[in-house]
């Protein structure tokens, strides 16, 4: 008697690229891209794995977003927009990168202070001479995923011309057909999670993302025996292709290779964690170029 294969729920997907004719779109943007994270929305999934008990406001936001997606019967992770404040070194980029990793979606950085990116966004839909495709579109196409997490840098620093162009990317009424000038097509950004960083001394104008939630990260805890250090360790392991399940090195070994006993920034802890892991590994176990923090 033939055995039935186990039931596998279908992964939701959507087409993100929209052209003006029947020709195939660049970067396969006319093909279905997956909407990921739906298998991890419950309390033992993304909210548990994000490991940010030291940042209770951020963790509460993640829980609310997962619950909202479940309530709306949208089986993927979608965070809308979040303005994430905090002192330098509080771990804003780590929070976004780690959230993306545990949700199983790509992470991209949109730096509005980059002159090329700023010029492209400010003129989007008006001048078809963009010098490059958006990092958001590239991330979606590379991973074939329609709901990346995007860290936005500089929204508290750039002028209104750039912010007006960026607003079209996050505005629910316009983001479904955002003009990707370099590719000559419209891109659906409606399922992107936007995390806009800001310093505590600066503000993101309220008109840019009026529906965004806003929280501020606390300073990182002292010492290294806390959940932040563990999540950064796991992030660093992923960046240099170390499987924590292999037991290649223990936490005690890693701690012995850390040059400091306390840190004032997540960035410095990440850098030392990379070095500590390399010190614990054989040369054949490590990759030379980790993704920048």
């Amino acid at each position: 008697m033939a055995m039935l294969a186990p039931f596998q729920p279908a992964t939701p997907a959507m087409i993100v690229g929209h052209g003006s004719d029947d020709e195939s779109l660049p970067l396969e943007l006319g093909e279905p891209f997956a909407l990921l994270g739906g298998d991890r929305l419950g309390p033992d999934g993304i909210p548990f794995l994000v490991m940010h008990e030291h940042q209770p406001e951020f963790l509460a936001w993640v829980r609310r977003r997962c619950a909202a997606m479940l309530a709306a019967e949208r089986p993927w992770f979608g965070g809308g927009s979040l303005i994430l404040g905090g002192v330098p070194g509080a771990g804003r980029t780590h929070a976004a990168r780690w959230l993306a990793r545990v949700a199983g979606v790509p992470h991209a950085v949109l730096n509005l202070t980059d002159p090329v990116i700023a010029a492209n966004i400010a003129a989007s839909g008006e001048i078809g001479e963009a010098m490059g495709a958006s990092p958001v579109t590239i991330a979606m196409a590379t991973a074939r995923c329609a709901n990346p997490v995007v860290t936005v840098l500089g929204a508290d620093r750039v002028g209104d011309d750039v912010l007006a162009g960026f607003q079209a990317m996050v505005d629910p009424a316009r983001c479904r057909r955002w003009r990707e000038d370099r590719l000559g097509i419209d891109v659906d950004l409606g399922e992107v999670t936007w995390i806009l960083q800001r310093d505590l001394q600066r503000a993101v104008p309220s008109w840019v993302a009026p529906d965004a939630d806003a929280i501020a990260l606390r300073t990182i805890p002292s010492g290294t025996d806390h959940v932040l250090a563990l999540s950064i360790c796991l992030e660093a392991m992923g960046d240099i292709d170390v499987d924590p399940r292999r037991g290649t090195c223990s936490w005690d070994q890693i701690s012995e290779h850390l040059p400091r006993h306390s840190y004032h920034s997540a960035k410095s802890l990440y850098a030392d964690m990379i070095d500590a892991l390399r010190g614990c590994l054989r040369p054949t176990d490590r990759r030379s170029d980790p993704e920048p923090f």
Side-chain angles (χ1 to χ4, degrees), residues 39-252:
D39 58 333
R40 308 172 192 182
L41 292 176
D44 58 344
I46 295 170
F48 174 77
L49 296 172
V50 79
M51 300 171 62
H52 267 64
E53 286 78 5
H54 63 291
Q55 300 291 359
E57 292 83 6
F58 178 72
L59 185 56
W61 175 79
V62 172
R63 287 175 176 148
R64 289 196 302 271
R65 292 309 309 162
C66 289
M69 296 301 287
L70 284 172
E73 298 184 351
R74 293 161 60 84
W76 56 88
F77 180 77
S81 299
L82 173 67
I83 298 175
L84 189 59
V87 298
R92 291 167 293 183
T93 303
H94 168 66
R97 286 195 72 201
W98 190 239
L99 172 62
R101 183 161 293 175
V102 301
V105 303
H107 173 255
V109 176
L110 185 68
N111 187 353
L112 300 180
T113 66
D114 182 295
V116 173
I117 292 175
N120 289 353
I121 290 177
S124 176
E126 298 178 5
I127 303 175
E129 298 179 358
M131 289 177 277
S134 161
V136 182
T137 302
I138 296 299
M140 295 166 74
T142 301
R144 297 186 62 82
C145 174
N147 60 321
V149 171
V150 177
T151 289
V152 182
L153 305 178
D156 56 347
R157 292 179 172 88
V158 297
D160 287 352
D161 56 340
V162 179
L163 290 177
F166 171 68
Q167 185 193 31
M169 303 179 79
V170 299
D171 179 11
R174 294 185 288 168
C175 67
R176 292 292 180 181
R177 299 294 293 251
W178 181 72
R179 187 65 179 173
E180 181 65 84
D181 287 317
R182 182 63 177 177
L183 303 179
I185 61 173
D186 293 339
V187 176
D188 189 337
L189 303 177
E191 302 302 332
V192 173
T193 299
W194 302 96
I195 299 184
L196 290 68
Q197 291 191 14
R198 76 167 184 88
D199 291 337
L200 292 180
Q201 295 79 15
R202 298 184 175 93
V204 177
S206 59
W207 57 267
V208 175
D211 297 329
D213 296 314
I215 61 174
L217 296 187
R218 306 178 183 186
T219 56
I220 70 171
S222 60
T224 55
D225 291 326
H226 45 69
V227 72
L228 171 63
L230 179 57
S231 65
I232 288 181
C233 180
L234 292 171
E235 179 186 15
M237 283 183 167
D239 289 342
I240 59 175
D241 289 339
V242 177
D243 187 346
R245 295 170 297 184
R246 290 173 53 191
T248 308
C249 46
S250 69
W251 176 249
D252 287 341

